[in-house]
Amino acid sequence: MSLPKTLLVLSLCASYALAFTPPQRLNIPLLLSPGGRPMMGVGMSSGQVQNFNFTFTTSLGYTAVASKKCSDCSDTPLYDISLSSSARALNGQSALSLGSGSFKGSLMKEDCTIYISNGSTWAYPNQTVVLMDSQDQTSPFEQSVSGLLGLGTLKKPTTAAGFSAGFDDGLYGQYYLRNPDASNFTFGLDLKPSPVIPGNGSSLRIGPGAASLADSNVGTVHWLQPDQSVYKADQVQWRPAQDSITSGYLANNTQPDLTVQLDGWTAKVGSESASFQQPILVNVDPYYPGIYMPMQQAQLIHATIPGSQLTSMSTIPGQTKAWTVPCNTQVQFTVLIGQQGFTVDQSILVVDQGDGECVSLIEGFTDSSVTQYIFGQTFISQLYLIFNIPKDGTSIVGFAPRAVSSPKSRDIGAIVGGTVGGVAGVVALGLLAFFLIRRRQDDSFFRRAAELEEEHKVASTVEPYTLGAHAHTPALPGSPPPAMADAPLLGVPHPHMHHDGGVAPPSYEEASESGLSSPRGYARDSKMAYRRDTMITTSAGSPPASPSEPQFSGSSAV
């Protein structure tokens, strides 16, 4: 083959390799806000970075931040556009609803970054951001949460927010503009249960019997690639997003563009049971803490629980109602997806209010026209979610059983490993002993020969001696060097340690390694109690035929 042809082949191979290099997975740690919402660290501006805590939602595709002009934002840090060198104001005003809350404000373009667990950041510049300056009491901008990261797609152009928004206004569209060879944007969601329970106020209510875990780690977003070590990859159930739904969702809310169709549910309470084995439309969103369904179906479940009573308590005030139930209630709620079932039981669904009564985390919509479901953090915590948003085509959501390590497998591995390691260690010690003995014999022979030669030299040579001279003691081979005054001291506090000795959350304190100041450190209120986790084994059957799994490919992880 001639040289030009060889160079051409090499060039094509290199181009192919670069175009299909999968992006590296980035781990985004999630913490709990004092109000109980999962949140991540976000930096804004490419100059003087302003750092905030953002919660996130799959129901909207917009990014929003509380601005300095917000007069009713009193307990969270606010964004100041005058401090940013990269912000660009846009014409128009935006008004958005999320659950029972709403907020509005002006629009801008801004460069943003998300804090990663290793102390670095992932940049997503040129975002269309709602600069929130007015909100009602049930919006998310409270108790240290300054912003909202929208993980919806905006693939279907909309004017619902008061301006014409499309795919390129969101996070994914901008990613594809920066990475034209990428074909999929994928992330996995690994969450723990929510500590929030239904209440009567406008703010979220934390269970009084929860463990005190202020700023507790509540999970991880596996960004750009799912983490296949935490779920059963051969049992993922894929469901395409439904993009033609026009009714059945919450009043005044935009229909989420990642809504999927699942195959129904069953509920077992002691010897009683209830079920709805028909297709259901579901919005899976970690912004919401509980499980929400049409009132008639929620009543069907609670009718099988003796002593249950409908109350005005809710986690979406004005939109849902919850039931009190006996604290000894035994219930299993199973969602059907294909041939698999994903189950949540009473250890998650029944929560003690602290007054001798318990409350159910399954709520019913008060509006009879709402026919869809919302599965929030409580349900998500019992499985692994994968969202795949392709450059072209339909987005899909994967539901996977969590990977459960077998103690027996680990014990057998330890026994086998210990046995093999022990035999190898004995053999190695034997070889080392043989080598040392042989070396000592060889050293004795050569050392005696050197002594005889030295004796011969001394016998034939006289070295002069100078009166008063100091004897010189040469350094022996292998002796330690003199101690240095500037040697590092043990026990010096690490710059990443809190004043109380605890290691700082890596996504916040370790961000200082990249030259960015910490977004944390805000004053906390008295709501510092969170529920201790209880993991439930997910039941799963053999998966049916499903859409092709996404090929995780892209040009780079930027």
Side-chain angles (χ1 to χ4, degrees):
M1 183 181 292
S2 63
L3 181 59
K5 290 183 178 180
T6 302
L7 293 176
L8 177 60
V9 171
L10 292 175
S11 176
L12 291 173
C13 291
S15 300
Y16 179 85
L18 289 174
F20 292 91
T21 301
Q24 180 182 3
R25 185 183 76 246
L26 305 176
N27 295 327
I28 303 174
L30 302 174
L31 302 181
L32 282 173
S33 74
R37 293 199 190 278
M39 62 184 185
M40 63 181 69
V42 172
M44 302 186 72
S45 178
S46 56
Q48 182 178 345
V49 179
Q50 301 176 59
N51 295 302
F52 304 103
N53 294 324
F54 273 43
T55 190
F56 58 101
T57 178
T58 59
S59 297
L60 297 175
Y62 310 96
T63 293
V65 65
S67 78
K68 192 176 181 181
K69 294 182 179 180
C70 182
S71 58
D72 50 358
C73 301
S74 59
D75 57 356
T76 191
L78 304 176
Y79 171 85
D80 189 346
I81 192 172
S82 67
L83 299 178
S84 174
S85 60
S86 54
R88 291 169 290 139
L90 301 176
N91 294 327
Q93 291 281 319
S94 176
L96 294 169
S97 295
L98 182 61
S100 58
S102 62
F103 54 93
K104 60 183 179 180
S106 58
L107 302 172
M108 69 171 181
K109 287 284 189 179
E110 179 62 290
D111 295 340
C112 305
T113 54
I114 297 176
Y115 287 84
I116 310 302
S117 61
N118 63 3
S120 63
T121 59
W122 182 81
Y124 61 113
N126 198 36
Q127 291 296 294
T128 301
V129 180
V130 178
L131 195 55
M132 193 277 294
D133 55 26
S134 178
Q135 65 171 337
D136 65 16
Q137 292 183 336
T138 55
S139 71
F141 308 97
E142 63 174 358
Q143 300 191 64
S144 297
V145 175
S146 299
L148 178 70
L149 177 63
L151 296 177
T153 69
L154 290 176
K155 277 198 167 187
K156 188 176 181 180
T158 177
T159 58
F163 70 102
S164 180
F167 191 50
D168 291 346
D169 287 294
L171 184 150
Y172 311 117
Q174 288 296 316
Y175 173 82
Y176 287 123
L177 290 177
R178 299 192 308 275
N179 299 275
D181 294 325
S183 58
N184 289 285
F185 190 104
T186 307
F187 64 93
L189 194 54
D190 182 9
L191 277 182
K192 297 178 183 178
S194 171
V196 174
I197 65 174
N200 291 311
S202 58
S203 297
L204 297 181
R205 178 189 179 201
I206 306 300
S212 179
L213 296 173
D215 295 335
S216 174
N217 183 300
V218 74
T220 305
V221 179
H222 298 129
W223 205 237
L224 303 179
Q225 288 279 358
D227 186 350
Q228 295 193 9
S229 69
V230 299
Y231 70 97
K232 298 179 181 179
D234 60 339
Q235 297 183 34
V236 180
Q237 298 292 307
W238 295 102
R239 288 295 180 268
Q242 306 291 311
D243 56 4
S244 59
I245 306 170
T246 58
S247 63
Y249 196 61
L250 296 179
N252 302 319
N253 280 243
T254 303
Q255 176 66 48
D257 51 21
L258 288 173
T259 301
V260 295
Q261 180 175 290
L262 305 182
D263 301 315
W265 55 264
T266 63
K268 182 174 176 57
V269 181
S271 60
E272 302 292 327
S273 63
S275 65
F276 188 82
Q277 299 187 32
Q278 298 179 30
I280 57 176
L281 292 174
V282 179
N283 173 32
V284 186
D285 190 348
Y287 174 79
Y288 299 98
I291 296 174
Y292 314 87
M293 61 180 63
M295 179 61 73
Q296 185 176 8
Q297 296 178 28
Q299 288 174 333
L300 188 63
I301 293 175
H302 291 95
T304 63
I305 302 177
S308 65
Q309 292 186 344
L310 183 63
T311 71
S312 60
M313 294 189 297
S314 172
T315 54
I316 312 180
Q319 298 274 13
T320 64
K321 288 185 177 181
W323 280 258
T324 57
V325 297
C327 292
N328 62 352
T329 298
Q330 301 292 307
V331 57
Q332 289 185 329
F333 176 74
T334 301
V335 176
L336 307 175
I337 308 177
Q339 299 299 313
Q340 292 197 77
F342 296 89
T343 299
V344 188
D345 73 5
Q346 67 280 347
S347 64
I348 300 294
L349 294 176
V350 179
V351 183
D352 194 335
Q353 298 185 97
D355 57 359
E357 283 191 333
C358 288
V359 63
S360 167
L361 298 187
I362 298 177
E363 302 177 41
F365 293 116
T366 56
D367 185 350
S368 60
S369 66
V370 177
T371 58
Q372 299 180 33
Y373 292 66
I374 299 175
F375 289 166
Q377 186 177 341
T378 294
F379 175 76
I380 297 172
S381 67
Q382 303 307 295
L383 66 157
Y384 187 82
L385 279 182
I386 305 171
F387 294 88
N388 183 68
I389 295 87
K391 180 189 295 185
D392 303 303
T394 302
S395 301
I396 57 176
V397 181
F399 299 79
R402 291 177 177 268
V404 180
S405 300
S406 169
K408 179 180 290 187
S409 299
R410 287 199 301 268
D411 293 342
I412 292 174
I415 294 171
V416 173
T419 303
V420 173
V423 173
V426 171
V427 173
L429 288 174
L431 292 174
L432 179 62
F434 174 78
F435 172 77
L436 292 175
I437 294 172
R438 181 62 180 270
R439 182 176 178 180
R440 177 175 296 179
Q441 293 174 347
D442 293 342
D443 288 348
S444 300
F445 173 79
F446 288 109
R447 185 165 53 250
R448 181 55 183 160
E451 290 174 355
L452 291 175
E453 181 179 0
E454 193 64 27
E455 290 175 2
H456 173 74
K457 289 181 180 180
V458 171
S460 59
T461 305
V462 177
E463 182 177 351
Y465 176 77
T466 304
L467 183 65
H470 295 285
H472 173 66
T473 305
L476 298 176
S479 61
M484 299 179 62
D486 58 350
L489 301 176
L490 296 178
V492 175
H494 194 277
H496 291 189
M497 298 294 290
H498 282 304
H499 64 278
D500 60 357
V503 179
S507 65
Y508 297 92
E509 300 301 335
E510 291 184 10
S512 60
E513 295 178 2
S514 60
L516 302 176
S517 59
S518 168
R520 300 296 311 287
Y522 310 127
R524 302 300 188 187
D525 60 12
S526 61
K527 294 183 178 180
M528 291 295 184
Y530 300 93
R531 183 171 60 233
R532 183 176 290 106
D533 306 323
T534 305
M535 301 305 297
I536 308 301
T537 303
T538 302
S539 61
S542 58
S546 60
S548 299
E549 296 189 18
Q551 299 298 315
F552 306 123
S553 61
S555 57
S556 61
V558 297

